[in-house]
Amino acid sequence: MHSSPRVHGPALVTGAGRGIGRAIALKLAELGSPVCLAARSRDELEETARSIERLGGEALVMPCDLTEAGSIEALVEAAAERLGGIGILVNNAGGAHRLAPLEDLDRQDFERGTGLNYTAVYRTMHAAAPHLFAAAPHASVLNIVSIAAERGLEGMSYYSGAKAGVVGLSRAAAREWGPRGVRVNCLGPGWIATELSLPLRRSEEFSAETLRQVPLGRWGEPDEIADVAAFLVSDQARYVTGTTVYADGGLLA
C-alpha cells in the first residue's frame, strides 16, 4: 500500500525561488509543512509562495543574500519566530559563477564560490541548530550537493571542492547530532532540466555528449529531485542519516 511521506514541522528552504529549490518547497508544502522561502530574488520567491498558497499551504517570503554578514542568522531567527520553529532545513542555494581552470582561478573567485556553496551551509546549520534540537526527534537537515562532490568537474574546482566539503561536513554533523535526534543527509542531483541548465540543453553537442553518460538517457526533472528530498526529510527515512543519495539517472554508476 502506497503512502505519502510524513514530514514534521516548519521548513526553511534556501534557493527556493526557482529550479530544484522551488520544487522542493512546493513538495514540502504539499505534504503539510509551512515553508520559509529564502533566495535573493523577491519576485521569484513571491511566485513560489503564490504556487504554495494555491495548494492551500503556508509560505513565508524572506529575500536574503546568504553571503552577506549576519544575513543567515537574521533569516533563521525570523523564520523560527514567524513559523513557530524549524523542523526541516534544506540548504539548496548554490551555483557556479565562473568556468576556469584552477591555475586561472583567483582568490576572489575561489572565495566567492566556496562562500556560497560551503560556508553558507555551515552558517545556516549553525544558526538553525537550537531550533532543530528543539524539534527533535523528527528534525532533519538536507544539504543539496551535486555529482561534482563525487566527480570533479573541469573548470569548476571551487564548486567541486565545496560540494565534497559539504558531504564531509554533513557526515560529521550526522554523527554529532544523531544523539540529539537530528538527521543530516545530502542529495546530489545529476543533470537536471532547470533554468540554469537551459543554455547547456540548447547546445545539441553538449546535450548529446552528456546524455551518452547517463544510463537513463535523459535530463532529470526538478520534481524528481523533490520527491527524493521529501523522502529523505520524512519519517520514511527515519533510520537514514549521514548518507548522500545521488539522483543522477545512473551517471555515477
Side-chain angles (χ1 to χ4, degrees):
M1 180 177 178
H2 175 76
S3 61
S4 296
R6 184 180 179 189
V7 296
H8 297 271
L12 169 58
V13 182
T14 68
R18 57 182 175 176
I20 291 171
R22 181 180 190 276
I24 291 173
L26 287 169
K27 185 66 177 181
L28 294 180
E30 181 184 331
L31 294 174
S33 279
V35 184
C36 176
L37 309 169
R40 286 179 294 182
S41 171
R42 176 179 288 275
D43 289 346
E44 291 178 345
L45 292 179
E46 289 180 346
E47 176 55 37
T48 302
R50 285 191 289 269
S51 296
I52 286 174
E53 289 160 1
R54 284 193 290 269
L55 294 172
E58 179 183 355
L60 171 63
V61 170
M62 294 288 291
C64 177
D65 184 343
L66 300 180
T67 63
E68 288 185 356
S71 60
I72 288 174
E73 293 73 17
L75 165 68
V76 168
E77 291 310 309
E81 180 180 353
R82 294 180 61 178
L83 295 181
I86 297 173
I88 299 169
L89 171 61
V90 180
N91 283 305
N92 170 74
H97 63 282
R98 187 182 177 200
L99 189 67
L102 189 147
E103 68 271 17
D104 293 335
L105 191 68
D106 62 29
R107 180 175 176 178
Q108 183 177 3
D109 281 327
F110 178 82
E111 291 181 350
R112 178 183 175 188
T114 55
L116 176 60
N117 292 291
Y118 179 76
T119 306
V121 174
Y122 149 73
R123 289 176 56 208
T124 309
M125 291 175 65
H126 182 269
H131 306 291
L132 294 166
F133 297 156
H138 298 291
S140 181
V141 177
L142 183 62
N143 294 324
I144 307 301
V145 289
S146 163
I147 54 172
E150 187 73 20
R151 173 186 289 185
L153 300 182
E154 294 180 15
M156 296 169 62
S157 56
Y158 64 91
Y159 181 79
S160 299
K163 292 300 187 181
V166 170
V167 170
L169 175 74
S170 302
R171 287 174 177 164
R175 297 186 67 87
E176 294 173 358
W177 290 2
R180 305 289 294 268
V182 180
R183 297 184 299 107
V184 183
N185 291 295
C186 293
L187 171 56
W191 295 106
I192 309 301
T194 65
E195 296 91 332
L196 291 176
S197 69
L198 184 58
L200 301 177
R201 288 182 283 128
R202 282 177 171 166
S203 167
E204 292 184 10
E205 181 180 357
F206 181 90
S207 190
E209 176 58 30
T210 296
L211 296 185
R212 273 196 290 270
Q213 301 175 47
V214 179
L216 291 185
R218 63 177 176 83
W219 293 77
E221 296 293 334
D223 288 349
E224 294 174 309
I225 304 302
D227 286 341
V228 181
F231 164 74
L232 287 170
V233 302
S234 77
D235 278 353
Q236 290 183 344
R238 59 192 176 275
Y239 199 58
V240 179
T241 194
T243 196
T244 301
V245 175
Y246 288 100
D248 62 358
L251 177 61
L252 295 177

